Amino acid sequence: MEEQTIINAVLLGLLEGMTEFVPVSSTGHILLAGHFLGFNSTGKSFEVLIQLGAILAILSVYFTRLWKLALALPSDRRARSFIAGILLAFLPAAIIGVMAHGIIKTVLFESPMLICIMLVLGGLVLLWVDRADLEPKYSDAMDFPPSLCLKIGFFQCLAMIPGTSRSGATIVGALLFGADKRSAAEFSFFLAMPTMVGAFTYDLYKNRDILSADDLSIIGVGFIAAFIAAVFVVRGLLTYVSRHGYGVFGWWRIAVGLVGFVALMTIG
C-alpha cells in the first residue's frame, strides 16, 4: 500500500466516525472528501464497510445496556417490544437497499454534485424541524409504538441518496411523529446497528470477488479509525442534543454543501 493511501484511509475513517451518528451524512462527507483527495476504492466498498467500525463504537459504549436488554427479553414485554420495533424500522431499508444496491453504488455514489445539493436541502430541513414548535409525546426510545418505528424506518430509506444522512432522516422522522430530541437520537443509534451490519454483510458479499488483500487492509485501517472517532461522538452526542438541539448540524451541512459546490465548479 502507498503511504498516501494509508493516510487518506485514516483521514476518511476518522471523518466517518465523527459524522456517522450526527445528522450530517457520513457517506456524503467521505464521498466528497474522497473525491477531492483522489481516493477511489474498489466497488466503493471502503465507504460502506468502514461504517461497521462506528457501529462497534455503539456496542462498546452501550454494552452494559445491550446485555441487560438481552437478558430481559424472555421475561420483559417492554424489552421485546423495543427489539421488535427496531427490527420493524430496519425492514424497509433492508428491502429497498437490496433492490436498489446497484443504482446506489454505481450512480448515486458517483454524483458529488447531488451530494452537495442533498447536504444543503437536508440542512434546511433540519433547521426547520429543530425550530418547529413540535409537541413531543415520547421521551424514551423504549416506548416508541410499532407505528412510529415503521414510519422512522421509511424515513431511513431516504438516506440511500448520499448526502441525506441516515441519522438525519431517522431523527427528523422521529421528531415529526412525536419523539423528543434525545429519544430520537437514541433510537437512531440502535437502528444503526442492524442497518449497518446488514449493509456491511451485503456489500461484502456483493464485492467478495473483486476485493484484494490490499483493499481489505485499507478498509481495516479506515475501520479502526472510524471506531476510535465514533466512541467519542457517541459518548457526548445525547447530552449535547438534549441541551442544544440539532441547529448546529443544519448549519454545518449547508456550509459543507456550499463549499463542496463551489469547489466542484472551480476545480472539478
Side-chain angles (χ1 to χ4, degrees):
M1 290 186 292
E2 296 181 3
E3 181 179 350
Q4 187 59 49
T5 301
I6 297 174
I7 293 172
N8 288 343
V10 171
L11 292 175
L12 294 174
L14 292 173
L15 186 59
E16 158 64 27
M18 290 186 291
T19 57
E20 177 60 46
F21 302 111
V22 296
V24 299
S25 179
S26 61
T27 302
H29 275 67
I30 61 177
L31 285 172
L32 274 182
H35 174 81
F36 292 116
L37 288 171
F39 180 87
N40 294 302
S41 68
T42 302
K44 290 295 182 184
S45 288
F46 176 91
E47 291 81 355
V48 174
L49 298 182
I50 66 169
Q51 293 176 347
L52 190 64
I55 298 306
L56 290 181
I58 291 185
L59 295 177
S60 66
V61 173
Y62 278 79
F63 178 80
T64 300
R65 181 170 176 182
L66 289 169
W67 181 249
K68 290 180 179 178
L69 191 63
L71 293 177
L73 281 176
S75 58
D76 190 334
R77 188 179 65 82
R78 187 167 177 251
R80 292 196 298 271
S81 176
F82 176 66
I83 296 299
I86 292 292
L87 295 177
L88 184 62
F90 163 66
L91 193 59
I95 296 172
I96 296 175
V98 169
M99 294 175 60
H101 181 267
I103 295 174
I104 294 168
K105 296 296 289 292
T106 60
V107 179
L108 300 181
F109 271 35
E110 301 289 349
S111 307
M113 189 63 73
L114 173 63
I115 293 171
C116 293
I117 293 170
M118 295 309 298
L119 283 170
V120 173
L121 291 178
L124 293 173
V125 170
L126 200 59
L127 288 174
W128 171 73
V129 171
D130 190 61
R131 296 177 180 181
D133 187 21
L134 300 173
E135 193 67 37
K137 294 182 287 187
Y138 308 101
S139 59
D140 191 330
M142 293 280 290
D143 297 325
F144 286 7
S147 59
L148 174 56
C149 296
L150 186 59
K151 290 173 185 175
I152 295 172
F154 281 114
F155 264 77
Q156 179 172 239
C157 295
L158 297 173
M160 293 178 191
I161 305 173
T164 301
S165 172
R166 187 206 61 79
S167 60
T170 55
I171 287 169
V172 166
L175 292 173
L176 288 176
F177 291 109
D180 70 358
K181 292 175 180 178
R182 183 184 180 91
S183 64
E186 190 165 47
F187 189 85
S188 179
F189 282 178
F190 282 98
L191 180 54
M193 297 181 200
T195 302
M196 293 297 99
V197 169
F200 176 94
T201 303
Y202 189 70
D203 198 82
L204 185 61
Y205 169 76
K206 294 291 287 185
N207 292 290
R208 65 193 185 284
D209 295 328
I210 62 174
L211 293 174
S212 66
D214 280 348
D215 291 325
L216 295 176
S217 297
I218 294 168
I219 290 168
V221 170
F223 181 99
I224 293 169
F227 170 80
I228 294 170
V231 166
F232 292 99
V233 173
V234 171
R235 288 186 182 278
L237 182 61
L238 291 180
T239 299
Y240 178 86
V241 298
S242 297
R243 296 176 178 175
H244 306 289
Y246 296 99
V248 65
F249 303 116
W251 288 116
W252 174 263
R253 292 177 60 106
I254 293 170
V256 171
L258 292 177
V259 169
F261 178 79
V262 171
L264 289 170
M265 295 297 292
T266 54
I267 62 178

